[in-house]
Amino acid sequence: MKETGKIWMNGNLVPFKDAKVHVLTHALHYSTSIFEGIRCYDTPNGSAIFRLPEHVDRFFKSAKLYSMKMQFSKKAISEGIIKTVKAGGLKESYIRPLAYYGYGTMGLTPTQNKVDVSIACWEWKMGESKAGKFSGAKCKISSWIKIDSRFQPMQAKAASNYANAALARMEALENGYDEAIMLNSRGKVAEGSAENIFVVKDDIIQTPPLSAGGLEGITRDSVIQIIEENGGFVVERDLERDDLYAADEIFMTGTAAEVKSVTQIDKAKIGNGKMGEITKAIQKSFTDAIMGKDERFLPWLTFI
Ligand SMILES: Cc1ncc(COP(=O)(O)O)c(C=O)c1O
């Protein structure tokens, strides 16, 4: 990792290399942290953070679901994000706000400990999440089952959700694939390890409902809004494994992934094995939106 700029820790900007925590930090032991992943893009009109208020809202929703008492307001966190991005001096970056039960008492109950907050950012260029962006990702249906809200709140972007996702991602990579697709305990399609999923069949764009266990992705919402603004629609319905193998096109959405195409699932080729026309069009519309080239979506950008 290239160490550039500063990291915001509980309201203070500290040098990147000094942003450290104690080894007895509660979250390190018990996964008691929540976080966000946000992008800042180098648009023709300057650097802009994509859907900042929505990410800050989700950050606070995640904290609420874990009864975390935030010592900062949404306004303070938004300002902290902008300050950190400016201090980094990068035109394009990935931004990672994190709230975690810190150092204090050890033991399972986290609530005696203070909730610490940090905001880091590092260089990440558009389209840098390579697998599938241009060539199409090869995905493996994971043998790990997506955990669901009976086990822990899945609408929280919580670190504890990601052990399950990381196992799926590792399994996929170890078997020669680029990414995992996770089914839920009912055998329905949930999402990728860190992306939402869309399936196109006979020109109908479909995506699993949030009740299937996927995160309420901000890119998912952006893509749905773009499709609707362009006169189309997205059907939310439970998808079977068969729907994946039989699809004409599949694409995934996420802050890191943006809009990436899936051209193979397990040993099955999707469509003709190349990125489909609908995926290509959505990828382009999304890129126009994040680059500020589509006036309709300019309110999604916070110029810094
Ligand atoms: C599990 C999971 N699903 C979906 C997404 C996509 O969400 P978003 O588009 O808000 O980045 C992410 C990424 O944050 C994720 O980690």
Side-chain angles (χ1 to χ4, degrees):
M1 163 156 291
K2 207 157 115 197
E3 298 183 354
T4 26
K6 308 246 173 166
I7 293 182
W8 188 99
M9 291 189 88
N10 289 333
N12 301 310
L13 284 173
V14 302
F16 203 102
K17 65 176 173 37
D18 296 335
K20 294 181 179 154
V21 295
H22 195 278
V23 73
L24 294 183
T25 294
H26 195 277
L28 274 179
H29 298 251
Y30 299 105
S31 250
T32 45
S33 65
I34 57 101
F35 64 95
E36 264 308 311
I38 314 174
R39 295 285 284 271
C40 176
Y41 288 104
D42 182 19
T43 82
N45 292 315
S47 292
I49 301 174
F50 187 64
R51 303 202 71 179
L52 176 62
E54 290 83 353
H55 280 285
V56 171
D57 281 349
R58 191 171 64 184
F59 191 54
F60 277 76
K61 177 177 165 186
S62 301
K64 184 162 189 262
L65 287 167
Y66 275 87
S67 306
M68 291 176 125
K69 288 199 180 72
M70 293 284 257
Q71 43 168 331
F72 299 97
S73 63
K74 285 187 183 177
K75 186 166 175 277
I77 295 297
S78 304
E79 285 168 2
I81 289 170
I82 293 169
K83 231 168 143 180
T84 311
V85 171
K86 282 186 174 162
L90 300 167
K91 288 185 170 158
E92 276 193 309
S93 55
Y94 182 90
I95 308 156
R96 169 55 56 83
L98 171 75
Y100 56 99
Y101 282 107
Y103 172 64
T105 16
M106 274 309 270
L108 180 60
T109 316
T111 39
Q112 299 108 302
N113 292 357
K114 197 166 84 154
V115 175
D116 290 317
V117 183
S118 65
I119 304 164
C121 78
W122 55 85
E123 188 162 32
W124 198 329
K125 299 222 166 81
M126 197 184 84
E128 208 164 297
S129 170
K130 291 172 201 74
K133 190 73 209 292
F134 304 109
S135 56
K138 291 188 291 174
C139 295
K140 181 184 189 318
I141 296 192
S142 185
S143 67
W144 295 103
I145 303 298
K146 180 90 190 169
I147 49 172
D148 64 47
S149 293
R150 290 171 302 173
F151 308 116
Q152 52 198 52
M154 296 308 291
Q155 289 310 317
K157 196 167 163 61
S160 56
N161 298 348
Y162 286 86
N164 181 238
L167 284 167
R169 169 76 64 80
M170 286 191 290
E171 181 191 50
L173 297 185
E174 280 162 7
N175 285 281
Y177 293 87
D178 303 312
E179 183 53 287
I181 291 174
M182 302 192 73
L183 306 182
N184 64 25
S185 57
R186 293 181 289 119
K188 312 293 179 193
V189 177
E191 60 177 347
S193 57
E195 309 91 358
N196 295 111
I197 189 165
F198 290 76
V199 166
V200 184
K201 183 68 184 168
D202 298 331
D203 294 334
I204 307 282
I205 307 171
Q206 306 159 66
T207 194
L210 296 176
S211 57
L215 183 72
E216 190 170 5
I218 290 165
T219 321
R220 175 187 186 272
D221 173 69
S222 307
V223 160
I224 292 173
Q225 286 198 49
I226 289 170
I227 292 168
E228 288 177 351
E229 278 289 322
N230 289 341
F233 62 92
V234 175
V235 175
E236 281 194 22
R237 72 169 183 93
D238 267 329
L239 295 169
E240 309 290 338
R241 190 172 185 153
D242 322 27
D243 292 312
L244 299 180
Y245 296 138
D248 297 329
E249 298 183 30
I250 295 180
F251 61 91
M252 289 175 143
T253 61
T255 296
E258 297 165 339
V259 177
K260 75 174 178 187
S261 116
V262 174
T263 49
Q264 184 183 322
I265 295 197
D266 296 334
K267 295 298 168 202
K269 210 197 266 184
I270 304 305
N272 63 4
K274 299 214 169 73
M275 191 192 307
E277 291 308 314
I278 292 178
T279 304
K280 230 181 258 177
I282 291 169
Q283 205 179 65
K284 176 167 186 321
S285 304
F286 181 73
T287 305
D288 286 348
I290 61 182
M291 283 290 116
K293 289 182 184 163
D294 188 329
E295 277 194 4
R296 295 171 299 173
F297 305 114
L298 274 179
W300 286 348
L301 300 179
T302 301
F303 287 92
I304 58 161

